[in-house]
Amino acid sequence: MTNALQGAIHTEEAHESARLHVTGAADYTDDIPSPANTLHAYLGLSTIARARITGMDLSAVRAAPGVVDVLTAADIPGHNDISPTGLNDEPVFAEHEVAFWGQPVFAVIAKTRDQARRAAQLAKLAYDGLPHVCDVAEAIAKGYPHVTKPLTLERGDVASAMAAAPHKIRGEMRVGGQDHFYLEGHIALAIPGEDGAVQVFSSTQHPSEVQHMVAHVLGKNSHDVTITVRRMGGGFGGKETQPNLFAAIAAVAATKHKCAVKLRPDRDDDMIATGKRHDFLIAYEVGFDDDGRILAVDGSFAARCGFSADLSGPVTDRALFHADNAYFYPAVKLVSRPMKTDTVSNTAFRGFGGPQGVIAAERIIEEIAYHRGMDTLAVRRANLYGAGRDITPYHQTVSDNIMPQILDQIEESSDYQARRAAVLAHNAKGGTLRKGIALTPVKFGISFTATWYNQAGALLHIYNDGSMLLNHGGTEMGQGLFTKVAQVVADCFQVGLARVRVSATTTDKVPNTSATAASSGTDLNGMAAQDAAQTLKARLVEFAAEHWKIAPEAVEFTPEGVKVGDEVYSFEAFIKAAYQARVSLSATGFYKTPDIHWDRDAGKGRPFYYFAYGAAVSEVAIDTLTGEYRILRSDVLHDVGHSLNPAIDKGQVEGAFVQGVGWLTTEELWWDDNGRLRTHAPSTYKIPMASDLPRVFNVELADWARAAEPTIRRSKAVGEPPFMLGISVFEALSMAVASVNDYKTCPRIDAPATPERVLMAVERMRG
Amino acid sequence: MAPRTNLNFILNDTPVSLHEIGASDTLLDFLRLNRNLTGTKEGCAEGDCGACTVLVGRRAARGLVYEAVNACIRLMPSLDGCHIVTIEHLSGQGGALHPVQQAMLDHHGSQCGFCTPGIVMSLYALWMDNPRPSVADIEVALQGNLCRCTGYAPILRAAKAASETGGQGMDALIAHRADMAARLAAMADGARVELSRNGQDRAIIPADVTDLAAVLAEHEKPTIVAGSTDVGLWITKHMRDISPAVFIINLAELQTITQDDTGLTLGGGVSYTDAAPALLAAYPQLAEFWGRIGGAQVRNMGTVGGNVANGSPIGDTPPLLIALGAELALSSMRGTRRMLVQDFFIEYGKQDRAPDEFVSALHIPPMPADALFCGYKVTKRRDEDISAVAAGFFVQKDGYNITSARLAYGGMAGTPMRAKGAEAALIGKPFSRESFAAAASAIARDFTPLSDWRASKEYRATLAANLLLRFYDQMVGEDETLTLRQEDVA
């Protein structure tokens, strides 16, 4: 059936805000007209990595032009704590001890942002310095604690399987972190209301948590606090827990001074004072046979968590959940080590630890391939999950595996074998430029591993002119969530998409929402919205059957209008009639993901509702004189089930791939010996730009794929999984380097593979 | 003539005259805070992300030109007599989308949308100047714009589509270019302009070069502001007081470019963009290097003279200029003196310039017929990145033997510096890979580089040596270099 409706489901519809984006008319939090007399807050940050605070002279700050107030821990009416885990390990303001360089110690409130920012420079803080540790390996060596309880996943007898294996390799890999570099930085605008209420406009992926944290810091109830966000200028996980700080300070100042307060840090301060993707130190041992088939894997995943737990527990858990990637490990033991370090507390970032697990699996594949003199793809195929080899290290059965089909298709469409032969022939000539090619897969588990997070609510109104206003718990950060969910609702009533307006996410419309994270936004909120739509639809059908005295089956919503028997009513007329018949035209919807369960202590369960699959082939060239490189071509094939909107899903795949490439190539976080992050702005921290794209970039959705489970219209989540396809570039670089030594050894390049790391690896290969 | 005390420009359709405006006031804050033109975004406040990209129309020798610039580090006093065009000005009557906007919408070029207005403005500048851009041209136009969501692929598709749509003849800026040029010309009164905010944060725009010398002589420690691609960060990142600031970007005498028997002379205020045609005609080897200085916005604002005067050890142009044997002219009320660019750099943070002197010109001698020359820049990210190591190599030979060499490096010491030991290792030796390998091994004795976030000392040392081999290979045509732009790939 063809569907002529504008914005119909499963069609390429533009982002609901695209017209606003391209005209500059889309309002972000900093663009909202400020109330009269709005004050501005600015953070005062520590300038030492670890110390006792022995003195805080803020007199010059208070005396600076325009300054109204200076807030410290003593000014917090409720709790000086924004720990999202309830561990009480993350203060709003450092009070007695500094835990990292750049930790907020106070906030200046002034008439203008410029005045507040200048005044913040005038503080005289006295410290009694303490030794600090930034590096994971050093933290382990010095006996630093875990910030949260580690996880072990175990299946089979690893010790005996390893002992019996014909070949064994033990190795180590460092994987760098990553700054989110959302283009819109953190911001909060707090507006006080009557009787202690406060509304905060926050650039957040998790309005409910900001609500709870603001209430906690203010010493109030959740019903006193409303958090609102229409859109973010990017999130990527960096706005899951990190907005709490900014919202809490703005709210404290606003309620204290009874006027609006805005807090927007400069980019440098944003990058210094907020968490990033976790850096990992991965130690692995793999036992395998002559054919490259894995027999046993023993892995340890130590992460730089920073000074507090934040989300490091679930992040390091997810690293373990993905340390198998697409491969069956007959015997396996994986342990996480969420290490405390004297650095900013690391947090969620697209993939949430998964990428660090997947890259370990791919390193293991590489090690085996170089050891056996095999093509990495052959090793991959030998180890894929399959019949009788379908149990993960966490004891979930992989029942929806489409990896073989994905690999077959992309191996052919990318002409992998012929191009690999050409790369080998090119390198055999021994020139300055060397090439590499790699095909890497991804299998990614979908669901929050905190099972209770897998719920969502929606609120749908139909006004008596036939227009609809949709609200749900998900937040829009550019991923197209609002567009896809609106398509679901419009489809239920067979109306054009323009009829559905999605309003700002706000905690007073839909309560107790989960973070828009874990790629789950559409899966959860699409279902909740559909539930609300179906409730209304059922009411309308019942009304029509009664009103026009016809069987309910004779009432049908069609693109031409609502069919009632032989009559067709315009949607407007139909709704008007329902309104006049006093039908309730507002409904809530709710969804919880079925069938999932997880016993963390036992390391067993079904944490994931389903898996998403994909693969990429990348070819690179490296310059063995400088270490510089180009991505010559990348082909991507990704499974999003039955796409709700192929244009938006393809955009997610392309964007995630490039972001994943950035993580593994040019994005390097660098701390100096004083524990100070020195890559804290785009001048020093290099995310990909247009000219870094593969010279040929072919991205396809596996349009034949359908979710095996009854997900929203059999689509699958897309936000995170394709991020890991950037590993194909990393491994292709590794192959190009390996060519220098005739592929005899695995180059063991640490991530990110900057030009420096590539050149230094080439030098190592030359011996 | 009495100094004028107001700043005059045209913002979109509206003439604006400001009395209370300081030297450190940025265009971005003016647009967002003063005019509620919030379509222009702040992403980094250091000219690196491009979210604040707007067009500035200025009267140049070649007529009224519209250029993409970073509003976050563009200082208001530099805009006297200019036409500022923001994203709000782009849509037509009744909200009809401009072809660039329509293409961005049709090709799903926005996701979060925060970088989008800046990207639209950069693509608009490209669309105006280059109706049939190659993918390489588009990449260059987007060198100053970061997007974190899309991976750029849909933006490249949109830029192509916009060029296919065309419609330049109906574009308001193009159609009214002559009228606007006349309006801007009418605003030029030849007066010195003196501005301040409540008497603080003073800015002076001299009437001409003679007046500039007088202004510099009149004030103690004035800050000379040319393109503000560095001074802008003194304000936005370091909150430094630059008052009194002397703005030189409007002075026509510093915008001259002459080419004669003595070589190429660039006025002290010539931007990278304006220098490019003459410079790259004379030294075509620099085409790739020049296209990797900053992004388009920085090249439109930044000046070659400022890049030298600033004294940074990691400036892009000093190694090139030193290798080419370029000279610097410093002028003041006391006259003009010339020196080799290499002699200008005394030590880290210290240059041979008195506070009353300004860079009036750069003289680059012509290339001798027997000379070989090239410039190199190695960075973590290919475009819009600061060098780990930059180099300019100039070698002359008499058929077989090397007779002279200037091997200049940036990023290897506290100033841009020649590798004297490596030069000595080459002179008198055959022009062969062995000679260059010997010179490369001398590099370790010439420099003791530092480790920082851009590169370790080991990498810098290895690169500096290897670039000599790269130079030799390239000069004898045996080099394989990485393909750079989209078109270069078969």
Side-chain angles (χ1 to χ4, degrees):
Chain A
M1 186 189 83
T2 58
N3 195 331
L5 283 170
Q6 171 257 332
I9 204 150
H10 304 307
T11 65
E12 298 202 336
E13 173 63 21
H15 191 286
E16 43 83 22
S17 291
R19 177 171 285 268
L20 301 178
H21 293 155
V22 302
T23 54
D27 282 347
Y28 301 82
T29 300
D30 201 28
D31 304 330
I32 297 170
S34 297
N37 304 317
T38 295
L39 296 175
H40 296 264
Y42 207 84
L43 298 176
L45 305 179
S46 71
T47 53
I48 189 165
R50 190 166 157 249
R52 274 184 287 275
I53 300 173
T54 55
M56 210 185 290
D57 176 1
L58 301 170
S59 53
V61 183
R62 291 182 194 279
V67 171
V68 172
D69 197 4
V70 184
L71 303 178
T72 65
D75 296 288
I76 290 176
H79 305 271
N80 182 23
D81 170 50
I82 45 170
S83 157
T85 52
L87 292 174
N88 196 19
D89 62 353
E90 189 167 341
V92 177
F93 294 122
E95 192 168 8
H96 306 296
E97 287 217 353
V98 168
F100 71 96
W101 189 301
Q103 185 175 21
V105 182
F106 64 92
V108 187
I109 315 300
K111 288 180 178 164
T112 71
R113 179 175 178 270
D114 187 58
Q115 287 171 331
R117 189 173 171 217
R118 286 175 185 274
Q121 308 296 306
L122 304 175
K124 295 188 189 77
L125 303 185
Y127 302 114
D128 184 3
L130 298 168
H132 69 272
V133 169
C134 290
D135 180 66
V136 185
E138 198 185 340
I140 294 171
K142 294 204 166 143
Y144 264 49
H146 294 139
V147 291
T148 183
K149 199 177 157 200
L151 173 68
T152 299
L153 298 182
E154 198 163 11
R155 217 193 61 251
D157 182 351
V158 178
S160 10
M162 197 71 78
H167 310 285
K168 287 187 277 289
I169 295 175
R170 194 191 287 262
E172 218 174 66
M173 177 180 202
R174 279 177 180 269
V175 183
Q178 185 176 28
D179 189 272
H180 305 84
F181 209 85
Y182 27 65
L183 262 287
E184 177 212 32
H186 279 285
I187 183 165
L189 168 65
I191 302 173
E194 63 177 27
D195 194 19
V198 64
Q199 178 173 26
V200 185
F201 293 89
S202 166
S203 184
T204 176
Q205 292 172 240
H206 198 349
S208 284
E209 185 173 87
V210 175
Q211 178 194 23
H212 302 150
M213 285 296 158
V214 167
H216 183 60
V217 171
L218 290 176
K220 291 182 183 295
N221 295 313
S222 289
H223 68 200
D224 299 318
V225 179
T226 306
I227 307 297
T228 301
V229 55
R230 173 58 183 83
R231 64 173 62 77
M232 284 163 272
F236 314 112
K239 293 174 181 169
E240 183 169 345
T241 60
Q242 305 300 295
N244 297 336
L245 173 75
F246 305 96
I249 293 172
V252 168
T255 49
K256 181 173 175 187
H257 291 278
K258 271 303 248 177
C259 69
V261 175
K262 190 190 275 193
L263 172 50
R264 176 173 69 84
D266 183 65
R267 171 66 64 179
D268 295 52
D269 293 335
D270 180 304
M271 289 179 75
I272 289 166
T274 68
K276 305 162 199 323
R277 184 187 295 285
H278 292 65
D279 327 56
F280 271 63
L281 174 62
I282 302 159
Y284 52 87
E285 185 175 16
V286 55
F288 52 99
D289 66 16
D290 290 346
D291 302 324
R293 196 168 268 224
I294 293 167
L295 303 171
V297 170
D298 190 345
S300 151
F301 292 76
R304 164 156 47 198
C305 297
F307 78 97
S308 75
D310 186 74
L311 299 171
S312 294
V315 165
T316 48
D317 286 4
R318 191 168 273 266
L320 300 198
F321 286 126
H322 288 82
D324 59 337
N325 194 17
Y327 313 116
F328 176 65
Y329 297 162
V332 56
K333 183 177 182 192
L334 305 167
V335 297
S336 72
R337 303 204 60 182
M339 298 306 301
K340 180 183 169 92
T341 50
D342 302 314
T343 51
V344 68
S345 190
N346 280 330
T347 191
F349 194 146
R350 201 176 204 166
F352 204 72
Q356 296 93 322
V358 170
I359 201 169
E362 298 310 326
R363 163 59 72 78
I364 285 170
I365 295 288
E366 258 195 297
E367 291 270 23
I368 296 169
Y370 287 110
H371 185 277
R372 303 309 305 146
M374 291 168 71
D375 174 8
T376 50
L377 179 56
V379 179
R380 293 194 160 95
R381 285 200 181 271
N383 287 290
L384 289 181
Y385 280 109
R389 299 162 43 85
D390 55 2
I391 310 292
T392 64
Y394 42 95
H395 302 264
Q396 174 167 352
T397 303
V398 180
S399 55
D400 60 1
N401 189 18
I402 56 167
M403 190 58 83
Q405 296 93 304
I406 294 271
L407 291 191
D408 288 349
Q409 183 176 333
I410 197 167
E411 182 177 356
E412 190 185 331
S413 65
S414 69
D415 200 16
Y416 173 81
Q417 294 300 347
R419 285 170 57 214
R420 183 167 189 276
V423 163
L424 292 171
H426 169 90
N427 291 341
K429 291 185 292 184
T432 303
L433 286 193
R434 297 303 182 94
K435 292 184 178 177
I437 186 168
L439 192 167
T440 65
V442 64
K443 164 184 131 286
F444 197 79
I446 302 298
S447 294
F448 287 100
T449 54
T451 303
W452 66 89
Y453 259 25
N454 296 289
Q455 61 172 307
L459 176 63
L460 179 62
H461 303 322
I462 307 179
Y463 292 99
N464 65 21
D465 64 353
S467 65
M468 296 188 207
L469 189 68
L470 171 64
N471 198 276
H472 53 72
T475 57
E476 177 63 41
M477 61 196 98
Q479 82 278 41
L481 171 68
F482 281 18
T483 314
K484 286 159 77 169
V485 177
Q487 282 177 286
V488 168
V489 169
D491 185 70
C492 287
F493 296 100
Q494 286 293 295
V495 296
L497 193 56
R499 196 177 287 278
V500 185
R501 184 176 181 121
V502 188
S503 57
T505 313
T506 184
T507 54
D508 61 1
K509 279 194 178 165
V510 176
N512 306 322
T513 57
S514 297
T516 307
S519 307
S520 68
T522 307
D523 281 14
L524 299 177
N525 295 290
M527 280 296 206
Q530 180 173 261
D531 182 46
Q534 282 170 345
T535 298
L536 283 180
K537 206 169 146 181
R539 275 184 213 155
L540 289 167
V541 168
E542 188 190 342
F543 146 75
E546 220 167 86
H547 187 75
W548 282 288
K549 308 208 173 2
I550 200 162
E553 303 77 57
V555 182
E556 194 189 350
F557 290 80
T558 75
E560 293 73 40
V562 185
K563 276 189 189 163
V564 181
D566 295 334
E567 294 291 318
V568 179
Y569 297 93
S570 74
F571 191 73
E572 289 86 345
F574 181 83
I575 291 297
K576 184 74 82 184
Y579 165 71
Q580 286 175 343
R582 298 187 294 174
V583 175
S584 166
L585 294 175
S586 176
T588 60
F590 187 77
Y591 176 72
K592 56 181 178 180
T593 312
D595 304 332
I596 50 175
H597 53 91
W598 172 238
D599 180 344
R600 190 173 185 273
D601 292 330
K604 288 184 182 176
R606 180 188 175 181
F608 302 121
Y609 190 37
Y610 62 88
F611 296 99
Y613 299 86
V617 178
S618 290
E619 181 179 349
V620 304
I622 67 166
D623 180 337
T624 55
L625 284 176
T626 64
E628 295 163 291
Y629 43 78
R630 294 302 269 165
I631 308 170
L632 303 176
R633 175 173 163 183
S634 291
D635 293 67
V636 174
L637 178 64
H638 198 76
D639 153 40
V640 297
H642 191 193
S643 175
L644 294 174
N645 183 326
I648 280 173
D649 286 348
K650 189 178 171 189
Q652 287 294 296
V653 175
E654 287 174 332
F657 177 85
V658 171
Q659 200 173 64
V661 171
W663 168 52
L664 296 172
T665 56
T666 58
E667 295 186 39
E668 187 174 29
L669 296 166
W670 196 90
W671 282 263
D672 67 17
D673 291 342
N674 296 321
R676 181 182 184 186
L677 178 69
R678 302 306 294 268
T679 47
H680 49 64
S683 53
T684 46
Y685 184 78
K686 312 310 284 187
I687 71 167
M689 34 187 16
S691 53
D692 295 315
L693 279 195
R695 303 296 77 192
V696 177
F697 192 24
N698 302 314
V699 176
E700 265 190 83
L701 302 178
D703 54 12
W704 43 266
R706 296 291 180 271
E709 301 293 341
T711 60
I712 183 73
R713 301 305 184 97
R714 299 280 171 179
S715 68
K716 286 190 181 183
V718 66
E720 293 164 296
F723 178 88
M724 278 143 277
L725 297 176
I727 293 171
S728 61
V729 169
F730 185 72
E731 195 181 300
L733 289 169
S734 176
M735 180 190 176
V737 169
S739 77
V740 172
N741 187 28
D742 205 20
Y743 316 102
K744 285 181 192 134
T745 48
C746 179
R748 292 189 172 178
I749 301 176
D750 286 338
T754 56
E756 168 164 347
R757 285 222 175 82
V758 169
L759 185 67
M760 292 324 203
V762 165
E763 299 278 316
R764 279 203 308 278
M765 289 288 118
R766 286 188 171 133
Chain B
M1 196 188 303
R4 168 153 59 89
T5 57
N6 57 344
L7 179 72
N8 299 323
F9 55 87
I10 295 171
L11 172 59
N12 295 330
D13 275 335
T14 313
V16 178
S17 184
L18 301 174
H19 286 273
E20 284 293 312
I21 193 87
S24 63
D25 285 327
T26 67
L27 173 56
L28 180 61
D29 279 353
F30 173 75
L31 294 174
R32 290 185 58 85
L33 303 179
N34 193 300
R35 295 282 152 159
N36 292 322
L37 293 172
T38 54
T40 307
K41 309 299 182 191
E42 179 180 316
C44 70
E46 63 175 11
D48 249 281
C49 80
C52 65
T53 302
V54 299
L55 300 193
V56 169
R58 64 176 173 102
R59 292 163 60 233
R62 59 185 194 274
L64 174 59
V65 293
Y66 285 97
E67 292 172 325
V69 304
N70 291 310
C72 68
I73 52 168
R74 184 74 188 234
L75 303 180
M76 290 301 291
S78 73
L79 295 163
D80 194 52
C82 291
H83 182 202
I84 300 156
V85 183
T86 70
I87 184 77
E88 287 85 358
H89 196 53
L90 203 48
S91 309
Q93 295 292 325
L97 295 183
H98 186 275
V100 170
Q101 294 172 314
Q102 187 65 51
M104 282 286 284
L105 188 153
D106 291 343
H107 290 269
H108 311 283
S110 71
Q111 285 183 21
C112 87
F114 199 82
C115 74
T116 309
I119 286 189
V120 167
M121 294 310 279
S122 284
L123 292 181
Y124 179 37
L126 173 73
W127 177 90
M128 282 175 79
D129 283 351
N130 182 353
R132 284 270 168 247
S134 64
V135 177
D137 295 334
I138 297 165
E139 286 180 353
V140 170
L142 291 175
Q143 274 173 330
N145 292 87
L146 297 176
C147 167
R148 192 54 151 165
C149 296
T150 65
Y152 303 97
I155 297 171
L156 299 181
R157 292 192 279 269
K160 267 285 181 202
S163 80
E164 280 152 21
T165 306
Q168 280 83 353
M170 294 185 303
D171 182 75
L173 291 193
I174 295 173
H176 299 134
R177 196 188 289 255
D179 294 347
M180 183 55 71
R183 286 173 73 186
L184 297 178
M187 292 162 67
D189 55 8
R192 181 195 285 194
V193 183
E194 294 188 358
L195 304 166
S196 71
R197 188 178 278 285
N198 302 321
Q200 308 288 309
D201 199 19
R202 297 172 56 214
I204 303 157
I205 311 169
D208 53 29
V209 164
T210 312
D211 193 35
L212 168 60
V215 168
L216 294 177
E218 281 163 26
H219 295 87
E220 220 173 295
K221 293 193 182 166
T223 308
I224 301 175
V225 183
S228 72
T229 56
D230 195 32
V231 174
L233 277 72
W234 301 358
I235 295 162
T236 61
K237 296 298 171 184
H238 307 296
M239 289 168 276
R240 266 166 68 177
D241 183 4
I242 62 166
S243 178
V246 183
F247 287 77
I248 64 167
I249 204 72
N250 296 12
L251 303 181
E253 297 128 297
L254 296 181
Q255 294 292 333
T256 54
I257 300 170
T258 56
Q259 172 90 62
D260 59 26
D261 296 349
T262 66
L264 177 66
T265 302
L266 301 175
V270 172
S271 69
Y272 300 104
T273 299
D274 281 353
L279 185 88
L280 301 183
Y283 313 97
Q285 305 92 324
L286 292 180
E288 187 213 327
F289 190 114
W290 211 254
R292 290 177 56 204
I293 296 173
Q297 295 92 325
V298 165
R299 288 194 298 273
N300 290 337
M301 288 167 64
T303 65
V304 187
N307 193 232
V308 175
N310 159 300
S312 167
I314 47 174
D316 278 323
T317 63
L320 309 177
L321 296 168
I322 291 170
L324 286 168
E327 289 184 321
L328 181 72
L330 286 167
S331 298
S332 68
M333 297 275 278
R334 296 173 286 125
T336 295
R337 61 191 177 109
R338 280 169 71 142
M339 73 183 79
L340 285 170
V341 169
Q342 68 186 50
D343 296 333
F344 179 68
F345 302 100
I346 299 168
E347 59 185 58
Y348 179 74
K350 190 173 174 194
Q351 300 85 42
D352 185 7
R353 184 181 71 82
D356 67 337
E357 287 183 310
F358 61 95
V359 175
S360 50
L362 288 158
H363 302 279
I364 311 172
M367 282 276 290
D370 60 352
L372 301 169
F373 166 70
C374 203
Y376 302 96
K377 172 172 174 168
V378 181
T379 51
K380 207 178 278 182
R381 183 179 67 200
R382 176 163 298 274
D383 284 330
E384 203 193 32
D385 197 359
I386 292 167
S387 307
V389 172
F393 300 144
F394 178 97
V395 168
Q396 279 176 285
K397 57 189 174 82
D398 64 356
Y400 187 68
N401 284 330
I402 295 165
T403 55
S404 77
R406 284 193 296 268
L407 311 176
Y409 286 94
M412 294 296 288
T415 65
M417 196 176 275
R418 285 171 65 176
K420 293 290 188 182
E423 289 177 3
L426 283 180
I427 291 166
K429 298 293 187 317
F431 186 78
S432 66
R433 204 166 200 271
E434 289 66 36
S435 301
F436 277 85
S441 51
I443 287 289
R445 294 185 293 280
D446 278 330
F447 298 111
T448 316
L450 296 177
S451 291
D452 67 12
W453 51 93
R454 297 200 171 89
S456 68
K457 56 189 177 189
E458 295 82 8
Y459 181 54
R460 286 196 161 104
T462 309
L463 269 183
N466 284 358
L467 286 176
L468 288 170
L469 302 175
R470 157 63 31 79
F471 178 69
Y472 174 82
D473 290 347
Q474 208 171 350
M475 291 303 120
V476 298
E478 284 178 5
D479 188 54
E480 311 165 78
T481 47
L482 285 173
T483 49
L484 298 179
R485 306 278 172 216
Q486 198 92 27
E487 271 66 12
D488 301 330
V489 178

